[in-house]
Amino acid sequence: GEMWISSYLVPIYQAGEFIGVLGMDISLDTMIDEIKDIKIYKTGYVSLLDEDGRVLYHPDLPQGTVPDMVMGPADAELLQTQANNGDRLIKYTLNGKEREMSFTTLSNGMKLVVVAPSSELHAESTQLIKGIIGVAILLIALYTVGMMLAVGKITQPLKDLTEASRRLADADYDVELDYKGNDEVGILTESFSRMRDQIKSYIEDLNRRIYTDGLT
């Protein structure tokens, strides 16, 4: 049947003489109503602690719980002795779930604590990393396909030249080479084509001489 109350007292002076105290009592339930519906990310929450770090409101812990029951001694001491967590989030595990905490001290000495699961805090960065990895895999795949096409573009004329050489060795002088590039392979193909034409012309001239030269 007890009710937690936070009392605010201000001394009143008149002409420098103390004449009394003005006070106001605020129910802890009124304070809790202001923060209990605040959600951080999907399942994060806000809690309220007294100046010694004991729980006044927490969605999962009873009133009076001390930090040592939830987190390590070093982090519990930080929560009890410091005004805020500075630039480092306090990490701990509760109910099998990793969480991260940030806190600040209010003007009345209470500590307002913001807690969110680590998985939700880092969800965006995790998604970004996955996206980067996906793009990297896509670029590697495109690079591989491009390399295969480039290699094929280079090696196919060489294969054609090899086949043309084999046919030329078998006295087939009508082999065609279509590659017209301006690179080294194109120059080699053009030289081979001229050699083929010269050999063909020489053979044709030799055959003509055989059949037409009277002395022969």
Side-chain angles (χ1 to χ4, degrees):
E2 295 181 352
M3 178 181 293
W4 288 64
I5 295 294
S6 181
S7 297
Y8 295 87
L9 305 175
V10 179
I12 305 298
Y13 295 88
Q14 183 176 13
E17 183 179 353
F18 175 74
I19 61 173
V21 175
L22 177 65
M24 178 175 64
D25 293 334
I26 300 177
S27 167
L28 180 62
D29 291 337
T30 301
M31 299 182 186
I32 292 174
D33 287 340
E34 296 295 323
I35 64 173
K36 68 180 182 180
D37 294 327
I38 297 176
K39 296 298 181 184
I40 309 299
Y41 292 96
K42 292 182 179 180
T43 60
Y45 53 83
V46 174
S47 61
L48 189 65
L49 311 180
D50 67 12
E51 59 184 8
D52 295 321
R54 292 187 295 267
V55 170
L56 296 177
Y57 165 74
H58 192 287
D60 302 318
L61 300 175
Q63 286 183 344
T65 301
V66 294
D68 305 67
M69 300 172 61
V70 179
M71 61 191 66
D75 291 331
E77 183 180 358
L78 177 68
L79 184 62
Q80 292 171 320
T81 59
Q82 299 298 318
N84 57 66
N85 58 290
D87 57 358
R88 180 179 71 88
L89 294 177
I90 299 176
K91 299 181 181 181
Y92 66 99
T93 301
L94 180 63
N95 297 331
K97 181 179 291 187
E98 293 185 356
R99 305 168 189 257
E100 299 187 28
M101 169 196 297
S102 176
F103 73 92
T104 188
T105 301
L106 305 177
S107 59
N108 61 3
M110 294 181 181
K111 289 181 169 60
L112 188 67
V113 181
V114 177
V115 179
S118 298
S119 58
E120 295 178 14
L121 277 172
H122 304 296
E124 292 184 2
S125 59
T126 301
Q127 188 66 29
L128 178 61
I129 292 173
K130 289 182 178 178
I132 292 174
I133 292 174
V135 171
I137 292 175
L138 179 60
L139 290 176
I140 291 173
L142 292 175
Y143 177 78
T144 302
V145 172
M147 286 295 296
M148 291 175 64
L149 292 176
V151 170
K153 186 176 181 181
I154 294 173
T155 58
Q156 187 58 47
L158 294 176
K159 291 179 180 179
D160 293 341
L161 275 173
T162 302
E163 177 63 18
S165 299
R166 185 188 63 79
R167 292 174 60 182
L168 189 63
D170 293 335
D172 182 359
Y173 305 111
D174 295 323
V175 58
E176 293 294 333
L177 293 171
D178 300 327
Y179 186 74
K180 304 297 183 182
N182 294 322
D183 53 12
E184 289 80 359
V185 178
I187 295 173
L188 181 61
T189 301
E190 184 180 357
S191 299
F192 186 90
S193 298
R194 288 201 304 268
M195 180 186 69
R196 175 206 58 196
D197 294 340
Q198 290 174 357
I199 293 176
K200 183 179 180 180
S201 176
Y202 175 77
I203 295 299
E204 289 177 348
D205 182 66
L206 184 61
N207 287 333
R208 181 182 59 78
R209 289 177 179 273
I210 290 174
Y211 290 108
T212 60
D213 189 289
L215 180 61
T216 304

